[in-house]
Amino acid sequence: MSNKSCFQLSAINLLMRGVAIVMLLGIGFVATAAENEKPQWVPGQPYPPELLDQYPCHSYELECGQLPPPPIEKVEFNEELNGDPDRGEKIAINLRWGNCIACHKLPGHETGSGTVGPSLVDYAERSLPYSYTFQRIWDPRVVNPDAHMPVFGPNRILTKNDIVDVMTFLYATK
Amino acid sequence: MRSYRILVCLLVCSLVQVTSSMAAEMTTKHEYMPGREKAIPHVSGDKEFSNTYQYWKDPESLKKAVDDGLMSHEMNFKDFRWMEKSMEGDMVLEEGLAYFNQENESGKSCASCHGEDGAELKGVYATFPKYNKRVNRVLTGPSQIEVCAKERLQRDDWGPDTRPNSLIAFYVASLADGATINVDTSSEPMAAAYERGRDLYFKRVGQFHYACSSCHTPPTAGNYLRGQRPTTFFGDAAQYPIYHFPYQLAGDDYSYVFTMQHQIRSCQQLSRMYQGKEGSASMTDIEVFIRASSNGYPMSIPVAEYNMNTDYLERNIDQ
């Protein structure tokens, strides 16, 4: 008797699950359609405000208020630097892209830059290993947990290629 | 018997669900920029952060610092903020007064309760945000205006992010010009609001994973951020609402008066954080923290952001 009732229960359970899966698939389909209509951030353009709730936020009511911080990403870089220095320079000085210049003096941009971080004008001469620089830009928390610098890698502000281009620009000897 | 088993099944299932979701909530650990424990609800708390308070604690000190040839960034950029009143804001104050006196269909206006030209509101803005017992929540100036307008004037469209609200806030704040900021942080629930606001101010959020304090504590504060001049969170609230802030929010038609709530949103947008809703609990807590960090400082309204006579910056400092 009890076995039978259990079986009946699980049969109903299975049926319900089936219905739920079909419904979820439907929702998934709608969500994908909506996803396509969502604006995309184009580097160099203003960041669409409606995309920002995918990151932790200040709200008590919205889900983003409870999102955990992006996990710290320790990365390796053992390659040659063969990026595009001109593109790297564009990324570094663009307000809505890398915007390194907001805080750092850059080679060829000694005036009009910020003074928050150290000057990078002579970065090439400092002989810092590529792996250190790549890590410093990708996720500065590995080097200094309280760095006043964005987490470019984990939150997809810059791609690996972007960072390699910026590094190629910084390491280029004049 | 069978229904009893089903009931137990359901109970166990829901219990498992509840405990697992509770666990998820409890394990969410936010990251904070350092320095929270040093913040105190008084303008002199700046000593623990930028160590420039002595240069701008009152008009005389500021004048002396400028005369001594101190550069703007050496004063934490506070010289830019309130050295001179901006009379450009005067016309906008008149617009605010017009809204203040604007009668609804039954002939009532803000002035019906608060006296002609707000005679009863002198100095009041210096104590906001404030706990309102009747509505049982902490209200910023604009939120208080919203509540009044809705309840007393049946105006449902004077919310904190509307033009009449911002301009009335600007006008009422001007009635507290010179009054010392005195936001209560000792009695509940204001003390709790201050602490929550402080935590939010140091909480890392958004795409850059910045906190408000990433820009508003050294080494960023007191240094040039490209063309911007970030300063510490002490003292500046005394000039809000502020005239003509240069960073407008998309779609604003009131961009020339920035309340503290607009300012927080504008900062959030600039630093790629999700913008809060003006007057919401979290945004109110942040304002409690910022305004209380100006406790002991005199209000100065109207002031224009980057108001200014910058002549002295051009001077030859060797002279």
Side-chain angles (χ1 to χ4, degrees), chain A residues 128-145:
Chain A
L128 289 161
Y130 296 161
S131 56
Y132 166 84
T133 307
F134 188 79
Q135 177 68 69
R136 197 79 174 73
I137 303 175
W138 185 271
D139 192 340
R141 290 174 298 174
V142 172
V143 184
N144 170 11

Side-chain angles (χ1 to χ4, degrees), chain B residues 134-283:
Chain B
R134 196 173 47 76
V135 297
N136 190 26
R137 65 187 171 101
V138 178
L139 297 176
T140 63
S143 291
Q144 178 64 64
I145 293 167
E146 179 189 31
V147 167
C148 273
K150 203 175 268 182
E151 294 185 354
R152 318 271 169 166
L153 302 174
Q154 292 76 49
R155 292 192 193 277
D156 293 333
D157 53 355
W158 280 16
D161 50 358
T162 62
R163 183 184 174 85
N165 190 309
S166 300
L167 296 191
I168 291 174
F170 192 35
Y171 175 71
V172 175
S174 77
L175 301 176
D177 182 35
T180 304
I181 296 206
N182 183 17
V183 176
D184 171 27
T185 55
S186 49
S187 63
E188 293 301 343
M190 289 300 291
Y194 172 83
E195 289 216 353
R196 284 194 307 267
R198 181 198 62 188
D199 287 356
L200 288 179
Y201 199 86
F202 285 82
K203 179 188 174 189
R204 301 183 69 158
V205 298
Q207 194 193 25
F208 293 159
H209 204 44
Y210 275 176
C212 308
S213 65
S214 298
C215 289
H216 297 293
T217 62
T220 311
N223 268 303
Y224 286 92
L225 192 56
R226 214 165 189 176
Q228 297 182 45
R229 307 170 190 94
T231 181
T232 52
F233 49 90
F234 296 95
D236 287 50
Q239 300 111 53
Y240 281 76
I242 199 161
Y243 178 73
H244 205 305
F245 194 82
Y247 311 111
Q248 303 178 4
L249 297 170
D252 274 1
D253 64 349
Y254 47 79
S255 54
Y256 51 76
V257 171
F258 252 55
T259 62
M260 184 55 76
Q261 292 284 301
H262 301 343
Q263 175 62 76
I264 299 167
R265 267 175 66 205
S266 172
C267 282
Q268 286 170 327
Q269 177 58 18
L270 271 172
S271 353
R272 297 206 196 152
M273 302 165 177
Y274 194 72
Q275 277 181 41
K277 189 176 178 298
E278 292 193 21
S280 64
S282 55
M283 291 285 279

